[in-house]
Amino acid sequence: MAPSHVLKCCQKVLAWVPVAFIALVVAWSYYAYVVELCVFTISSTAEKVVYLVVFHLSFVMFVWSYGKTIFTSPATPSNEFCLSKADKEQYEKEERPESQQEILRRAAKDLPIYTTTASRAIRYCDRCQLIKPDRCHHCSACDICVLKMDHHCPWVNNCVGFSNYKFFLLFLMYSLLYCLFVAATVLQYFIKFWTNELPDTHAKFHVLFLFFVAAMFFISILSLFSYHCWLVGKNRSTIETFRAPTFRNGPDKNGFSLGCSKNLREVFGDEKKYWLLPIFTSLGDGCTFPTRLVIMDPEQLAVSSQNEPAKSSVANQSFPTRPLSESQNRLLAGDCQWVETGPEEENVKSGAKKHIIVSLES
């Protein structure tokens, strides 16, 4: 049996096969369009120039965004989410899950996390030995925890997550435009070759096949791009679509949604002039995300649990509470409204702790 490191090397090499296939198809499409179509088939000089200019613009943006998606390393949690040496040793010695969870709760009490497992436990990765931030998941293919992981894509041989999700969306968009432009401009010559209006030359095969390939990829990419546009509008990842994140009040598939316009800004950034360029402009650090949920003080939670015995089992499950100030960023700066349950404003100034609600665009 081959050593494990040899098998891993083989897996790494084979993982690049889909990327190599796409690269070969793109390289052939460039040759077929520029040389066989524009040089040897099209007779009009003006038509050649217009086609070549638009083609190269779409080609450069497509290759640029594809390269950024492939070679941008997935973002991983910062060191603050790793257990200390003492906590790690104590965690490994404990055999009871309850004791292990107590260690994790103690370590995570000051961490900016909202979500837990479905059983109200702290989300911990035994492989990476760290507490998972919100929306972070472990990728078995990359063998790391990826911030805001969406999925592992074999066509880019990389995890699509916080660091390259914008690049992935632009890659889909520009590949869609590239295929649409190629198919639309090749169509008339495809028909002429098909009906024998043009003489049989070595360009005939390339032109005919180029139209079929462009049309096929356009149809397949269109559904994927439409799906991810819907995800961006809802501020969800592919993982969260199938398994809703669990907050203090239970699973909520819309827990991170701030409204369509703000969801777009969270991925593409504040400055619209950079939206169509494959440069990183996403907001935040990937470890914390603003939510539309009610933020309640722990003491208020205790009072609520006494007033509502039916919900006491949920309220008594302790997990980290993030202060409101840590959840604010540019998305929330102009929209936060503080609503106090107390009748006197002076109580706020004197430091009284009250029920705080963040009102956001829904």
Side-chain angles (χ1 to χ4, degrees), residues 48-325:
K48 284 183 182 181
V49 172
V50 173
Y51 281 9
L52 287 174
V53 169
V54 178
F55 173 82
H56 280 91
L57 284 175
S58 60
F59 180 81
V60 167
M61 297 306 297
F62 162 62
V63 173
W64 186 9
S65 57
Y66 186 47
K68 292 285 285 187
T69 307
I70 296 173
F71 297 110
T72 299
S73 300
T76 55
S78 56
N79 292 332
E80 66 175 326
F81 292 92
C82 299
L83 292 181
S84 65
K85 186 177 181 180
D87 287 338
K88 192 180 299 182
E89 291 177 352
Q90 188 177 1
Y91 179 85
E92 292 173 351
K93 289 179 181 178
E94 290 290 348
E95 296 181 357
R96 295 185 306 157
E98 296 82 2
S99 300
Q100 290 180 330
Q101 275 298 306
E102 187 59 36
I103 296 172
L104 295 179
R105 288 193 183 96
R106 188 168 60 249
K109 65 180 180 179
D110 295 324
L111 292 178
I113 57 176
Y114 270 136
T115 58
T116 65
T117 65
S119 59
R120 297 290 178 175
I122 298 296
R123 300 171 64 244
Y124 181 74
C125 178
D126 291 305
R127 183 75 175 178
C128 299
Q129 296 186 326
L130 54 80
I131 296 172
K132 296 179 184 178
D134 294 341
R135 315 185 83 173
C136 176
H137 299 276
H138 185 86
C139 175
S140 58
C142 297
D143 198 26
I144 55 174
C145 281
V146 180
L147 296 180
K148 196 186 176 183
M149 179 178 173
D150 188 87
H151 68 288
H152 184 89
C153 181
W155 298 108
V156 299
N157 189 29
N158 199 2
C159 260
V160 177
F162 174 75
S163 62
N164 63 351
Y165 189 59
K166 176 190 174 183
F167 306 148
F168 178 73
L169 290 172
L170 292 179
F171 155 63
L172 293 179
M173 184 185 75
Y174 285 122
S175 60
L176 199 67
L177 294 176
Y178 178 77
C179 292
L180 178 62
F181 175 77
V182 170
T185 54
V186 168
L187 179 59
Q188 59 173 317
Y189 296 97
F190 169 84
I191 296 174
K192 289 179 180 180
F193 274 122
W194 192 267
T195 57
N196 295 319
E197 290 184 31
L198 291 175
D200 287 343
T201 61
H202 59 281
K204 180 176 181 178
F205 166 78
H206 292 282
V207 172
L208 294 179
F209 198 57
L210 184 61
F211 175 78
F212 281 120
V213 171
M216 179 187 68
F217 273 97
F218 173 80
I219 295 172
S220 60
I221 295 172
L222 179 61
S223 58
L224 183 60
F225 179 66
S226 301
Y227 174 66
H228 277 279
C229 287
W230 178 79
L231 288 180
V232 171
K234 297 292 185 180
N235 203 340
R236 297 179 202 167
S237 66
T238 300
I239 295 176
E240 291 166 352
T241 301
F242 294 99
R243 185 172 66 249
T246 302
F247 295 85
R248 179 180 293 117
N249 298 323
D252 189 343
K253 61 183 179 180
N254 295 316
F256 293 108
S257 180
L258 307 174
C260 187
S261 62
K262 292 184 179 180
N263 294 340
L264 280 172
R265 287 168 55 197
E266 188 171 309
V267 175
F268 290 96
D270 286 327
E271 300 188 53
K272 294 182 179 180
K273 61 183 178 181
Y274 296 124
W275 280 16
L276 300 181
L277 295 177
I279 56 178
F280 185 80
T281 55
S282 300
L283 300 182
D285 58 2
C287 293
T288 59
F289 296 90
T291 74
R292 59 176 180 78
L293 300 179
V294 171
I295 301 175
M296 187 177 290
D297 185 85
E299 294 182 6
Q300 185 71 25
L301 273 177
V303 174
S304 299
S305 64
Q306 293 176 2
N307 295 335
E308 301 179 26
K311 296 181 180 180
S312 60
S313 61
V314 175
N316 290 333
Q317 292 290 341
S318 60
F319 57 89
T321 302
R322 172 166 58 184
L324 178 64
S325 59

